[in-house]
Amino acid sequence: MAIRKTMVAGNWKMNGSLELVTQLSNAVNSVKSNEIDIVLFPPFPLVPALVDSGVTTGTQTLSENTPGAFTGEVDAQLIKDLGAEYVLVGHSERRSIYKESNATVAAKFARAQQVGLTPILCIGESESEQENGQTEHVVAAQIDAVIEKLGVAALKHSVIAYEPVWAIGTGKTASPEQAQAVHKFIRDKIASLDSDLAQGLTILYGGSVNEKNSELLFAQPDIDGGLIGGASLKADSFTAICNSAKGTV
Ligand code: PEP
């Protein structure tokens, strides 16, 4: 069975400053280890400072287009040239606030890989979808949009982040068992197309992860780390979450 890499990723959303880069990079550099990949996703202007601090860096989105007349957008090649290695695609706030469709998210995923960035595909159901028993249907469609555009092999150089929308920024976390069940569904779905790829695929959980609940979540067999929002802005919480991911593979 393929060994999967554990990852803890911090999504700063529209928060942060040069001061936070200093604080968080010192904290992350103090807990770095071969056992886990730690990646921070600051707002675009802070990318160079974070790269210079030695922390693995990603961006929160990218344009699906190649350079041209797209005011306010940021090109993937520029992100890569600045030293970022990862990019979030399809975060639920991008899907809901900026109306990014599954097709747009798949186009962004493709553009990231075109320049050698690793996309982290964010998927997850809303509260009403969960209440109506549509979780599996929704996450399957979000993954299928990428597979239909690029083929299942494209998932090999990617990470998936399962983030139930009802758990993001709400303080309501999926229970470890609830999250594990969806992670297993995702891995089994991909395994039906390519078993080796599925076994090697890192699948993160996101949604109100903190230093109190991370250990049990990360101990689940199909949860390979976390995508952390609010708690990634606090050095103590984030380093505690990173430490709880060590030794969980
Ligand atoms: C996120 O932004 O992806 C996230 C999971 O946020 P939070 O941890 O604050 O719920």
Side-chain angles (χ1 to χ4, degrees):
M1 191 193 273
I3 304 270
R4 292 194 285 277
K5 198 73 200 234
T6 301
M7 176 182 282
V8 177
N11 173 17
W12 289 6
K13 313 193 187 205
M14 201 174 75
N15 299 293
S17 59
L18 286 168
E19 172 56 28
L20 195 73
V21 168
T22 305
Q23 276 174 28
L24 262 295
S25 60
N26 286 339
V28 167
N29 285 328
S30 73
V31 291
K32 265 186 182 169
S33 113
N34 290 336
E35 289 177 73
I36 53 169
D37 290 331
I38 305 173
V39 189
L40 292 180
F41 295 80
F44 283 121
L46 296 176
V47 166
L50 199 61
V51 169
D52 286 349
S53 77
V55 172
T56 306
T57 303
T59 61
Q60 299 168 17
T61 185
L62 80 171
S63 171
E64 64 274 33
N65 296 300
T66 50
F70 300 102
T71 301
E73 292 290 281
V74 180
D75 177 46
Q77 187 62 59
L78 177 60
I79 294 170
K80 174 88 173 143
D81 290 349
L82 289 175
E85 295 172 51
Y86 291 87
V87 58
L88 301 180
V89 297
H91 188 278
S92 71
E93 287 147 23
R94 301 295 313 176
R95 292 180 188 267
S96 64
I97 304 170
Y98 302 101
K99 309 294 173 222
E100 291 182 4
S101 64
N102 280 346
T104 303
V105 172
K108 287 176 185 277
F109 185 107
R111 178 67 184 142
Q113 288 191 332
Q114 216 172 48
V115 304
L117 290 166
T118 301
I120 298 187
L121 175 65
C122 303
I123 59 176
E125 80 287 2
S126 66
E127 185 153 37
S128 64
E129 289 164 342
Q130 198 238 5
E131 284 166 0
N132 293 326
Q134 294 175 307
T135 299
E136 293 185 356
H137 173 77
V138 170
V139 300
Q142 290 170 331
I143 295 168
D144 282 340
V146 171
I147 294 176
E148 279 158 21
K149 184 175 177 65
L150 299 167
V152 69
L155 293 176
K156 191 169 167 66
H157 304 290
S158 78
V159 171
I160 289 184
Y162 168 60
E163 302 198 291
V165 179
W166 48 268
I168 296 181
T170 58
K172 253 199 255 177
T173 318
S175 69
E177 296 72 24
Q178 224 175 352
Q180 163 59 22
V182 183
H183 279 235
K184 183 170 181 338
F185 168 79
I186 294 166
R187 199 177 307 282
D188 287 350
K189 173 185 165 52
I190 296 167
S192 71
L193 300 171
D194 186 331
S195 165
D196 284 352
L197 188 159
Q199 291 311 322
L201 184 64
T202 294
I203 307 179
L204 309 179
Y205 171 77
S208 297
V209 177
N210 58 41
E211 65 274 37
K212 295 193 183 78
N213 58 29
S214 58
E215 195 170 345
L216 277 181
L217 285 162
F218 298 167
Q220 300 302 310
D222 287 293
I223 299 183
D224 308 314
L227 177 53
I228 321 298
S232 73
L233 298 169
K234 293 173 259 168
D236 288 354
S237 302
F238 191 64
T239 51
I241 293 168
C242 291
N243 284 330
S244 74
K246 291 179 185 169
T248 57
V249 174

mmCIF file of all heavy atoms in Angstrom, residues 42-64:
data_model
loop_
_atom_site.group_PDB
_atom_site.id
_atom_site.type_symbol
_atom_site.label_atom_id
_atom_site.label_comp_id
_atom_site.label_asym_id
_atom_site.label_seq_id
_atom_site.Cartn_x
_atom_site.Cartn_y
_atom_site.Cartn_z
ATOM 1 N N PRO A 42 -1.336 32.503 2.448
ATOM 2 C CA PRO A 42 -1.620 33.893 2.823
ATOM 3 C C PRO A 42 -2.321 34.615 1.666
ATOM 4 O O PRO A 42 -2.399 34.080 0.562
ATOM 5 C CB PRO A 42 -0.212 34.464 3.024
ATOM 6 C CG PRO A 42 0.589 33.757 1.966
ATOM 7 C CD PRO A 42 0.004 32.358 1.868
ATOM 8 N N PRO A 43 -2.774 35.839 1.876
ATOM 9 C CA PRO A 43 -3.221 36.658 0.742
ATOM 10 C C PRO A 43 -2.053 36.872 -0.231
ATOM 11 O O PRO A 43 -0.884 36.864 0.187
ATOM 12 C CB PRO A 43 -3.625 37.977 1.399
ATOM 13 C CG PRO A 43 -3.859 37.646 2.836
ATOM 14 C CD PRO A 43 -2.922 36.526 3.164
ATOM 15 N N PHE A 44 -2.366 37.089 -1.503
ATOM 16 C CA PHE A 44 -1.329 37.205 -2.537
ATOM 17 C C PHE A 44 -0.135 38.101 -2.178
ATOM 18 O O PHE A 44 1.011 37.704 -2.368
ATOM 19 C CB PHE A 44 -1.931 37.730 -3.847
ATOM 20 C CG PHE A 44 -2.689 36.694 -4.625
ATOM 21 C CD1 PHE A 44 -4.037 36.883 -4.930
ATOM 22 C CD2 PHE A 44 -2.071 35.543 -5.082
ATOM 23 C CE1 PHE A 44 -4.749 35.931 -5.662
ATOM 24 C CE2 PHE A 44 -2.767 34.581 -5.818
ATOM 25 C CZ PHE A 44 -4.114 34.788 -6.110
ATOM 26 N N PRO A 45 -0.363 39.338 -1.672
ATOM 27 C CA PRO A 45 0.804 40.237 -1.487
ATOM 28 C C PRO A 45 1.828 39.720 -0.485
ATOM 29 O O PRO A 45 2.977 40.158 -0.490
ATOM 30 C CB PRO A 45 0.176 41.545 -0.992
ATOM 31 C CG PRO A 45 -1.247 41.463 -1.422
ATOM 32 C CD PRO A 45 -1.614 40.007 -1.361
ATOM 33 N N LEU A 46 1.425 38.788 0.380
ATOM 34 C CA LEU A 46 2.349 38.280 1.399
ATOM 35 C C LEU A 46 3.131 37.048 0.932
ATOM 36 O O LEU A 46 3.983 36.535 1.662
ATOM 37 C CB LEU A 46 1.580 37.945 2.684
ATOM 38 C CG LEU A 46 0.911 39.137 3.374
ATOM 39 C CD1 LEU A 46 0.093 38.678 4.584
ATOM 40 C CD2 LEU A 46 1.947 40.175 3.813
ATOM 41 N N VAL A 47 2.853 36.586 -0.300
ATOM 42 C CA VAL A 47 3.520 35.368 -0.782
ATOM 43 C C VAL A 47 5.047 35.503 -0.780
ATOM 44 O O VAL A 47 5.746 34.638 -0.238
ATOM 45 C CB VAL A 47 2.977 34.955 -2.174
ATOM 46 C CG1 VAL A 47 3.875 33.920 -2.848
ATOM 47 C CG2 VAL A 47 1.556 34.401 -2.023
ATOM 48 N N PRO A 48 5.627 36.573 -1.358
ATOM 49 C CA PRO A 48 7.102 36.632 -1.388
ATOM 50 C C PRO A 48 7.729 36.608 0.009
ATOM 51 O O PRO A 48 8.732 35.926 0.227
ATOM 52 C CB PRO A 48 7.393 37.958 -2.109
ATOM 53 C CG PRO A 48 6.159 38.213 -2.924
ATOM 54 C CD PRO A 48 5.019 37.691 -2.094
ATOM 55 N N ALA A 49 7.134 37.325 0.951
ATOM 56 C CA ALA A 49 7.714 37.363 2.306
ATOM 57 C C ALA A 49 7.659 35.980 2.947
ATOM 58 O O ALA A 49 8.606 35.548 3.618
ATOM 59 C CB ALA A 49 6.968 38.374 3.174
ATOM 60 N N LEU A 50 6.555 35.267 2.718
ATOM 61 C CA LEU A 50 6.436 33.934 3.324
ATOM 62 C C LEU A 50 7.398 32.957 2.660
ATOM 63 O O LEU A 50 8.043 32.149 3.346
ATOM 64 C CB LEU A 50 4.984 33.446 3.215
ATOM 65 C CG LEU A 50 4.603 32.334 4.165
ATOM 66 C CD1 LEU A 50 4.753 32.730 5.625
ATOM 67 C CD2 LEU A 50 3.164 31.893 3.921
ATOM 68 N N VAL A 51 7.526 33.041 1.341
ATOM 69 C CA VAL A 51 8.491 32.178 0.642
ATOM 70 C C VAL A 51 9.896 32.452 1.190
ATOM 71 O O VAL A 51 10.645 31.514 1.496
ATOM 72 C CB VAL A 51 8.427 32.423 -0.889
ATOM 73 C CG1 VAL A 51 9.601 31.752 -1.600
ATOM 74 C CG2 VAL A 51 7.101 31.915 -1.455
ATOM 75 N N ASP A 52 10.242 33.720 1.340
ATOM 76 C CA ASP A 52 11.583 34.070 1.847
ATOM 77 C C ASP A 52 11.824 33.546 3.260
ATOM 78 O O ASP A 52 12.963 33.316 3.661
ATOM 79 C CB ASP A 52 11.773 35.596 1.855
ATOM 80 C CG ASP A 52 11.972 36.126 0.445
ATOM 81 O OD1 ASP A 52 12.160 35.305 -0.472
ATOM 82 O OD2 ASP A 52 11.909 37.360 0.264
ATOM 83 N N SER A 53 10.740 33.355 4.026
ATOM 84 C CA SER A 53 10.902 32.878 5.411
ATOM 85 C C SER A 53 11.195 31.380 5.464
ATOM 86 O O SER A 53 11.446 30.843 6.534
ATOM 87 C CB SER A 53 9.626 33.168 6.205
ATOM 88 O OG SER A 53 8.618 32.222 5.857
ATOM 89 N N GLY A 54 11.083 30.713 4.298
ATOM 90 C CA GLY A 54 11.388 29.280 4.267
ATOM 91 C C GLY A 54 10.177 28.385 4.475
ATOM 92 O O GLY A 54 10.313 27.162 4.544
ATOM 93 N N VAL A 55 8.993 28.974 4.581
ATOM 94 C CA VAL A 55 7.776 28.169 4.770
ATOM 95 C C VAL A 55 7.184 27.816 3.400
ATOM 96 O O VAL A 55 7.113 28.665 2.518
ATOM 97 C CB VAL A 55 6.740 28.961 5.601
ATOM 98 C CG1 VAL A 55 5.400 28.234 5.651
ATOM 99 C CG2 VAL A 55 7.266 29.191 7.012
ATOM 100 N N THR A 56 6.776 26.564 3.234
ATOM 101 C CA THR A 56 6.124 26.159 1.989
ATOM 102 C C THR A 56 4.828 26.957 1.851
ATOM 103 O O THR A 56 4.030 27.047 2.797
ATOM 104 C CB THR A 56 5.831 24.644 1.998
ATOM 105 O OG1 THR A 56 7.041 23.960 2.284
ATOM 106 C CG2 THR A 56 5.291 24.182 0.657
ATOM 107 N N THR A 57 4.655 27.526 0.656
ATOM 108 C CA THR A 57 3.604 28.536 0.481
ATOM 109 C C THR A 57 2.668 28.171 -0.664
ATOM 110 O O THR A 57 3.088 27.595 -1.668
ATOM 111 C CB THR A 57 4.279 29.900 0.176
ATOM 112 O OG1 THR A 57 5.166 30.208 1.249
ATOM 113 C CG2 THR A 57 3.257 31.024 0.032
ATOM 114 N N GLY A 58 1.410 28.544 -0.499
ATOM 115 C CA GLY A 58 0.436 28.397 -1.573
ATOM 116 C C GLY A 58 -0.425 29.638 -1.647
ATOM 117 O O GLY A 58 -0.358 30.512 -0.772
ATOM 118 N N THR A 59 -1.260 29.712 -2.686
ATOM 119 C CA THR A 59 -2.204 30.827 -2.774
ATOM 120 C C THR A 59 -3.629 30.287 -2.653
ATOM 121 O O THR A 59 -3.873 29.093 -2.801
ATOM 122 C CB THR A 59 -2.042 31.624 -4.085
ATOM 123 O OG1 THR A 59 -2.298 30.761 -5.200
ATOM 124 C CG2 THR A 59 -0.634 32.200 -4.181
ATOM 125 N N GLN A 60 -4.552 31.203 -2.370
ATOM 126 C CA GLN A 60 -5.925 30.790 -2.051
ATOM 127 C C GLN A 60 -6.788 30.583 -3.289
ATOM 128 O O GLN A 60 -7.882 30.037 -3.215
ATOM 129 C CB GLN A 60 -6.564 31.834 -1.133
ATOM 130 C CG GLN A 60 -5.827 31.988 0.178
ATOM 131 C CD GLN A 60 -6.271 33.206 0.966
ATOM 132 O OE1 GLN A 60 -7.336 33.782 0.716
ATOM 133 N NE2 GLN A 60 -5.458 33.616 1.917
ATOM 134 N N THR A 61 -6.325 31.081 -4.419
ATOM 135 C CA THR A 61 -6.999 30.883 -5.693
ATOM 136 C C THR A 61 -6.006 31.240 -6.789
ATOM 137 O O THR A 61 -4.835 31.566 -6.501
ATOM 138 C CB THR A 61 -8.292 31.733 -5.803
ATOM 139 O OG1 THR A 61 -8.976 31.422 -7.029
ATOM 140 C CG2 THR A 61 -8.013 33.219 -5.758
ATOM 141 N N LEU A 62 -6.432 31.154 -8.040
ATOM 142 C CA LEU A 62 -5.625 31.568 -9.193
ATOM 143 C C LEU A 62 -6.607 31.795 -10.331
ATOM 144 O O LEU A 62 -7.781 31.411 -10.236
ATOM 145 C CB LEU A 62 -4.597 30.487 -9.584
ATOM 146 C CG LEU A 62 -5.097 29.299 -10.419
ATOM 147 C CD1 LEU A 62 -3.929 28.468 -10.901
ATOM 148 C CD2 LEU A 62 -6.054 28.429 -9.657
ATOM 149 N N SER A 63 -6.124 32.416 -11.410
ATOM 150 C CA SER A 63 -6.991 32.552 -12.584
ATOM 151 C C SER A 63 -6.921 31.276 -13.398
ATOM 152 O O SER A 63 -5.866 30.653 -13.504
ATOM 153 C CB SER A 63 -6.531 33.725 -13.445
ATOM 154 O OG SER A 63 -7.260 33.702 -14.666
ATOM 155 N N GLU A 64 -8.043 30.923 -14.019
ATOM 156 C CA GLU A 64 -8.048 29.773 -14.927
ATOM 157 C C GLU A 64 -7.531 30.166 -16.305
ATOM 158 O O GLU A 64 -7.298 29.310 -17.159
ATOM 159 C CB GLU A 64 -9.450 29.160 -15.032
ATOM 160 C CG GLU A 64 -10.534 30.045 -15.635
ATOM 161 C CD GLU A 64 -11.210 30.947 -14.602
ATOM 162 O OE1 GLU A 64 -10.551 31.393 -13.634
ATOM 163 O OE2 GLU A 64 -12.417 31.224 -14.793
#
